[in-house]
Amino acid sequence: PAQPQQQPPEATPGPLQAPQPPTNSGGTPQVESLVMSALDRFFGDAHVWPQVDEVSSARKAQQPDGGERRYIVQVPKPYPGVQYRKSKALDDRCPHYAEHGSVVAGVLEDGEWLRTTSGQFLPVRVAAIDILVP
C-alpha cells in the first residue's frame, strides 16, 4: 500500500476541495447556481427516489463488506489525492492524503468507506464520483 503523503502547498487546490468557479456580474458563482437548481429539481422529484434506492442497493450488493481489498485512488484533476479521515465522516480529515494513482488496501465498511490497514478511513466516493476503484 502507498504511504500517506503530506498535504501539498496551497498553490494547488487541496484534496477534494473544488477550485473557485467563475462568477457572474452579481458575484454569485454561476456553476453553484446551476448545480443547486439541478439538485433542487432532483430531490424534489418523488419518482426518482425508487431509482436511487435501486441503484444504491445494487451497488452495495456488488461490493460486499468483509475481506481486505486493494483499490486505486482516482480523483479528478486538479486534485492531488484524497484525504484520509479519522472516522467515517467527510469532515473528520487527517492532515495527509492518498495520492492520485496510488494503491490503498483495507476493508470496505458500509459499502461507502474503506478502513485502511492503518485504521484510518477513505471515502469510496464523494458526491457521485467514485474515487477508489477496485
Side-chain angles (χ1 to χ4, degrees):
Q3 295 296 320
Q5 301 291 319
Q6 292 299 318
Q7 282 188 309
E10 290 297 321
T12 59
L16 294 180
Q17 295 175 356
Q20 291 296 320
T23 59
N24 62 20
S25 59
T28 304
Q30 294 170 350
V31 173
E32 183 177 328
S33 177
L34 291 171
V35 169
M36 295 299 290
S37 177
L39 287 172
D40 286 343
R41 283 192 311 273
F42 176 79
F43 287 113
D45 186 350
H47 294 67
V48 173
W49 288 104
Q51 294 173 353
V52 169
D53 189 41
E54 182 179 321
V55 169
S56 176
S57 297
R59 179 157 191 102
K60 286 182 181 180
Q62 290 174 347
Q63 298 181 340
D65 295 354
E68 183 176 305
R69 295 182 63 185
R70 295 181 184 272
Y71 295 84
I72 298 172
V73 177
Q74 291 187 344
V75 295
K77 290 182 180 182
Y79 306 112
V82 60
Q83 281 183 278
Y84 286 92
R85 300 325 201 260
K86 297 173 191 170
S87 67
K88 296 181 203 177
L90 286 175
D91 293 335
D92 197 10
R93 294 181 177 96
C94 294
H96 52 279
Y97 68 99
E99 193 172 343
H100 174 77
S102 64
V103 176
V104 293
V107 176
L108 191 64
E109 293 188 3
D110 303 327
E112 302 290 325
W113 290 93
L114 181 71
R115 180 187 293 267
T116 65
T117 53
S118 66
Q120 296 172 325
F121 295 90
L122 287 170
V124 172
R125 75 189 55 77
V126 174
I129 301 171
D130 290 332
I131 56 174
L132 298 183
V133 180

